[in-house]
Amino acid sequence: MSEPAPATSTNADVLMSLNDVVRRFGALRALDGVTFDIMQGEMLGVAGPNGAGKTTLLNVCTGVLPATSGHITFDGQAIRGMPPNQCCQLGIARTFQIPQIFSSMTVRENVATGAEFGIGQGGGGNIEAHVSDVIDLVGLTPQQSNSVTDADLLTRKRIMLAAALATRPKLLFLDEPLSGLNADEVDSFVALFQRLHAALDLTFVIVEHKVRALADLSERILILNFGSVLMIDTPERVLSDERVIDVYLGTRNLA
Ligand SMILES: Nc1ncnc2c1ncn2[C@@H]1O[C@H](COP(=O)(O)OP(=O)(O)OP(=O)(O)O)[C@@H](O)[C@H]1O
Ligand SMILES: [Mg+2]
């Protein structure tokens, strides 16, 4: 696919840039002219009503779905239309709303699959040591030899996160990482993301309906509504904005 020259950003702190991105499903514009930048090193939260286009946004940013039109750059390079493996090689990783792991493998084998998938990303070193480091970072060392068949939701989420981290991403997209977790599990995952952010040179984009946790994690929050950016600002400003309360927060349990 030929990609017209993108509007290159003059800001060296921009890691990914979206410019007027549209994704259509038939007549539906699931993304309807989305423009924003993801800054190097930030934790960016994304929220919005069901069906607003959050997962579609992650899909077009990670190569899972091509955008219908618009420009997406990563590290200054045009990536619209690139397949997921190529996006991964560049340093873009993601987790899924429903944990996707290989049931016939052990915990460690699942994480190693991520390491092999991202091998272009400064791999070449000691893969086994890298896999052990990632497993340790997410707290899976005691279970690493277990089969994943009987793993509970929290463990499945940890495995999927570890496999994504094992690809050595620069930019990691998480799709509802806290869904289905109880209050204690949410707290432990929030602490884990904060540890990972402090320990690794990693930029996070976190899609999440649990807005209190999202506000604790994020430096900025983007609200998507009907495929468009309603607002992108600090958590305080976003969560007190009347438009955001009208279209989203008013309908949600903030507890
Ligand atoms: N593969 C697809 N084919 C057709 N329509 C789709 C497809 N994927 C998503 N859609 C539609 O696009 C819109 C955006 O869906 P998306 O899954 O991105 O929303 P979301 O914000 O992630 O919602 P949720 O909070 O429920 O996860 C919805 O109307 C959805 O039905
Ligand atoms: Mg979704």
Side-chain angles (χ1 to χ4, degrees):
M1 177 188 311
S2 74
E3 174 95 32
T8 47
S9 174
T10 51
N11 188 339
D13 292 336
V14 172
L15 182 58
M16 181 175 273
S17 185
L18 284 81
N19 194 342
D20 202 16
V21 171
V22 172
R23 169 66 207 199
R24 283 199 198 140
F25 296 111
L28 174 74
R29 292 166 80 93
L31 296 177
D32 193 8
V34 171
T35 299
F36 69 97
D37 291 334
I38 300 167
M39 308 306 287
Q40 181 78 48
E42 81 169 324
M43 283 237 205
L44 174 66
V46 176
N50 293 112
K54 303 178 298 295
T55 296
T56 305
L57 177 67
L58 265 54
N59 286 339
V60 303
C61 288
T62 57
V64 173
L65 285 175
T68 308
S69 63
H71 299 294
I72 308 176
T73 60
F74 176 71
D75 257 349
Q77 181 177 350
I79 63 158
R80 181 159 78 82
M82 269 189 194
N85 62 324
Q86 221 175 326
C87 289
C88 178
Q89 299 289 316
L90 290 176
I92 303 168
R94 57 104 41 96
T95 64
F96 291 86
Q97 206 162 336
I98 297 167
Q100 299 197 356
I101 55 180
F102 299 105
S103 311
S104 59
M105 295 182 181
T106 65
V107 170
R108 187 179 178 91
E109 285 165 350
N110 264 279
V111 180
T113 305
E116 278 153 27
F117 200 58
I119 205 152
Q121 262 300 104
N126 186 336
I127 297 244
E128 289 303 319
H130 174 59
V131 171
S132 295
D133 286 349
V134 171
I135 287 174
D136 190 42
L137 267 175
V138 303
L140 281 171
T141 304
Q143 297 116 288
Q144 63 176 313
S145 302
N146 294 358
S147 153
V148 302
T149 317
D150 300 323
D152 60 16
L153 179 67
L154 189 67
T155 306
R156 285 174 178 268
K157 284 179 181 264
R158 281 188 201 278
I159 295 167
M160 188 171 54
L161 176 63
L165 288 171
T167 68
R168 303 175 193 264
K170 295 176 188 153
L171 175 55
L172 177 58
F173 291 90
L174 307 174
D175 199 355
E176 298 199 30
L178 307 176
S179 68
L181 302 184
N182 66 33
D184 288 345
E185 292 168 340
V186 166
D187 287 348
S188 86
F189 249 49
V190 166
L192 172 60
F193 295 146
Q194 286 167 332
R195 273 204 310 281
L196 293 173
H197 191 233
L200 305 170
D201 182 19
L202 188 52
T203 303
F204 280 86
V205 177
I206 306 173
V207 171
E208 186 51 63
H209 283 301
K210 290 188 160 66
V211 284
R212 283 203 197 289
L214 195 64
D216 286 347
L217 280 168
S218 307
E219 290 150 55
R220 297 189 299 160
I221 292 179
L222 182 159
I223 301 290
L224 261 190
N225 190 39
F226 290 118
S228 297
V229 178
L230 179 70
M231 189 175 187
I232 179 166
D233 209 327
T234 60
E236 296 71 27
R237 290 206 195 108
V238 167
L239 298 187
S240 60
D241 187 271
E242 281 187 16
R243 294 165 304 161
V244 175
I245 293 167
D246 267 2
V247 304
Y248 181 55
L249 295 176
T251 65
R252 302 210 67 82
N253 176 9
L254 284 177

